[in-house]
Amino acid sequence: MPVVFAGDPFLIKLRAELFKDCRRVGVAVSGGADSVCLLHLMLELPGLDMTVLHLNHMARGAESDADAAFVRDLAARLGLPLEYREQRIPADDNFEQAARRVRKAFFLDCLKRLQLDCIATGHTLSDQAETVLFRFLRGAGTAGLAGILPVTAEGIVRPMLHLTRAEIVDWLRARGIAWREDSTNREVRFARNRIRHELLPALMRDWNPRLPE
């Protein structure tokens, strides 16, 4: 059965107006805290016909399979259909960039094949801060420094860009909602993780604690 949060102040924070032109919505769920929170919040929005989308890169062996099983069980418990795909990332590719390309192709395929109006993803304010800082360091122009868009021309909707990762974790813990942790999120061999775990915390500590905002 769905967890009901009617009247929850946190639900009000979800940018529900982004779905005004969407009825058939795919919700990208990796099993992580952000996407699990997004899915539970969207259950409370009226008039949406939702499908859970999960892409398994099979990059972490049994851990990836356990993530897929978690999402499959979550969708079943909530009474939602699941669109599942397995696709490996070539070993000689930059994993982060290749994974983004594969996810985007999966989303665009789902939009067309399932006749969805849009796809919701669980990107947060924390993701936004990391993205802008990453692009700044790479020398992006003004378009790149605009960061992650709340709505894209292809139909990707990101209604949690104003919420931090810490807020989301606190919300899930307060309601006893489980999620999965991706062990690779701690690996500093990935540029995004070095920004998340080393550079951004140092800048917040030494320069501006409100830097993400």
Side-chain angles (χ1 to χ4, degrees), residues 168-184:
I168 286 168
V169 167
D170 287 346
W171 187 85
L172 291 171
R173 285 176 175 163
R175 286 152 185 80
I177 300 174
W179 69 90
R180 295 277 301 172
E181 292 285 356
D182 182 341
S183 61
T184 62

Side-chain angles (χ1 to χ4, degrees), residues 127-137 144-148 192:
D127 295 313
Q128 182 75 287
E130 293 158 10
T131 297
V132 171
L133 183 54
F134 178 78
R135 292 178 178 177
F136 172 76
L137 294 172
L145 293 178
I148 303 171
R192 176 63 68 99

Side-chain angles (χ1 to χ4, degrees), residues 15 123-135 144-150 158 160-163 165 192 196 200 212-213:
R15 296 186 61 187
H123 289 88
T124 67
L125 176 65
S126 304
D127 295 313
Q128 182 75 287
E130 293 158 10
T131 297
V132 171
L133 183 54
F134 178 78
R135 292 178 178 177
L145 293 178
I148 303 171
L149 299 176
R158 298 155 175 143
M160 300 202 305
L161 285 177
H162 56 304
L163 301 174
R165 192 172 294 116
R192 176 63 68 99
R196 175 179 300 177
L200 191 53
E213 290 88 340

Side-chain angles (χ1 to χ4, degrees), residues 16 65-66 77 82 85 107 110 118 121 136 160 172 176 192 207:
D65 293 338
R77 285 190 289 107
L82 171 69
R85 178 176 298 176
F107 292 159
C110 288
C118 64
T121 70
F136 172 76
M160 300 202 305
L172 291 171
R192 176 63 68 99
W207 293 91

Side-chain angles (χ1 to χ4, degrees), residues 13-16 18-19 22 24-42 45 48 50-55 99-100 102-108 110-111 116-128 131 147-152 154-163 165 168 192:
K13 293 183 180 181
L14 185 73
R15 296 186 61 187
L18 298 180
F19 298 103
C22 299
R24 294 176 56 84
V25 182
V27 185
V29 181
S30 66
D34 301 340
S35 61
V36 169
C37 177
L38 172 66
L39 181 62
H40 279 92
L41 287 173
M42 289 186 61
L45 300 182
L48 297 183
M50 293 192 294
T51 298
V52 174
L53 311 178
H54 182 76
L55 179 64
R100 282 192 290 272
V102 170
R103 280 195 300 271
K104 183 175 181 180
F106 173 57
F107 292 159
L108 295 180
C110 288
L111 278 166
L116 302 174
D117 297 317
C118 64
I119 289 177
T121 70
H123 289 88
T124 67
L125 176 65
S126 304
D127 295 313
Q128 182 75 287
T131 297
I148 303 171
L149 299 176
V151 180
T152 73
E154 295 99 340
I156 308 299
V157 177
R158 298 155 175 143
M160 300 202 305
L161 285 177
H162 56 304
L163 301 174
R165 192 172 294 116
I168 286 168
R192 176 63 68 99

